[in-house]
Amino acid sequence: GAVVSQHPSRVICKSGTSVKIECRSLDFQATTMFWYRQFPKQSLMLMATSNEGSKATYEQGVEKDKFLINHASLTLSTLTVTSAHPEDSSFYICSAMSSGAEETGELFFGEGSRLTVL
Amino acid sequence: GNSVTQMEGPVTLSEEAFLTINCTYTATGYPSLFWYVQYPGEGLQLLLKATKADDKGSNKGFEATYRKETTSFHLEKGSVQVSDSAVYFCALSAPGGFKTIFGAGTRLFVKA
């Protein structure tokens, strides 16, 4: 099946620094990737939708300047948490939709990245 | 708008017990329906899916049938194992749409 790889799986950083999380589709081209945030024991909160070669579409309430998303190729999207603060600590998950899967909407998920900001 | 409602957890069962996790949805048109599973510390994995009414998705002993008349997609397994302990998310995706709507998730604990 389709594989999505997310890196790093865990990251600890100091307050005020920036952290980049990568999401790669390993064996398919992903025209659309999604970034979610998941709080403990809660569902996924969609942060933004990223399409290759264009600007990401952010959900209401998500700060664009805080969470920078770049989808530079059909296999890579990155999420950069800028000037991270402790309240940004969370589990971030990406998912990808392969070309041709738009009709069913099936998603392939990365393993998730746990960010801890000290 | 579209929405997904699934039973609250946690659900605690003994090994080999029968599992049902209820899921109902609200959507216009004919969405695709999914069950995703999340094991501790991991991302989500597709467990099964159904793309049209009366379809039955099945995988690893789990089943769910797309019931348009009751707008439901209940997850069932005849005999659960300890390794099935995880969080299960019901989800829908509208045709041609790119935004998947997730339920709140149901945590399942299976005791040996």
Side-chain angles (χ1 to χ4, degrees):
Chain A
V3 178
V4 174
S5 177
Q6 200 172 326
H7 178 81
S9 57
R10 290 179 183 274
V11 57
I12 300 173
C13 69
K14 292 182 179 180
S15 186
T17 60
S18 294
V19 174
K20 180 185 286 188
I21 301 170
E22 293 186 345
C23 179
R24 293 180 185 273
S25 56
L26 298 186
D27 51 1
F28 67 100
Q29 293 187 331
T31 51
T32 305
M33 288 186 170
F34 304 88
W35 287 96
Y36 305 85
R37 184 171 179 177
Q38 185 179 33
F39 293 99
K41 300 185 179 180
Q42 295 189 26
S43 190
L44 285 72
M45 182 191 80
L46 179 65
M47 299 173 66
T49 302
S50 103
N51 293 292
E52 185 265 337
S54 62
K55 289 184 179 180
T57 303
Y58 289 82
E59 295 298 303
Q60 193 170 11
V62 178
E63 299 176 62
K64 301 178 184 180
D65 296 332
K66 174 75 164 173
F67 299 100
L68 300 180
I69 291 171
N70 185 290
H71 194 155
S73 76
L74 285 171
T75 60
L76 174 65
S77 177
T78 59
L79 166 68
T80 302
V81 183
T82 62
S83 186
H85 290 284
E87 58 266 28
D88 299 324
S89 299
S90 193
F91 194 54
Y92 292 89
I93 305 176
C94 72
S95 70
M97 183 181 294
S98 66
S99 308
E102 293 88 351
E103 196 57 33
T104 63
E106 182 176 343
L107 298 173
F108 301 96
F109 285 84
E111 307 95 326
S113 299
R114 183 162 301 285
L115 169 64
T116 302
V117 184
L118 302 177
Chain B
N2 297 341
S3 66
V4 175
T5 302
Q6 61 183 104
M7 65 187 285
E8 288 188 25
V11 174
T12 302
L13 295 173
S14 297
E15 208 165 23
E16 299 184 3
F18 184 86
L19 168 72
T20 300
I21 300 178
N22 290 338
C23 172
T24 57
Y25 68 91
T26 303
T28 53
Y30 299 89
S32 294
L33 301 174
F34 306 87
W35 277 100
Y36 289 91
V37 58
Q38 184 179 31
Y39 297 102
E42 298 183 12
L44 277 68
Q45 303 173 25
L46 178 67
L47 181 60
L48 53 83
K49 67 179 180 182
T51 57
K52 61 182 187 294
D54 300 325
D55 268 1
K56 177 186 282 188
S58 61
N59 185 27
K60 299 180 181 179
F62 291 90
E63 293 183 339
T65 301
Y66 189 141
R67 301 282 188 203
K68 187 158 180 63
E69 63 277 13
T70 54
T71 61
S72 64
F73 193 55
H74 304 322
L75 181 68
E76 296 182 337
K77 186 174 185 181
S79 176
V80 294
Q81 305 300 312
V82 173
S83 57
D84 293 326
S85 298
V87 181
Y88 293 82
F89 292 94
C90 185
L92 72 80
S93 178
F98 293 89
K99 190 177 291 189
T100 299
I101 308 296
F102 290 90
T106 302
R107 186 174 296 274
L108 171 66
F109 292 105
V110 180
K111 303 179 298 184

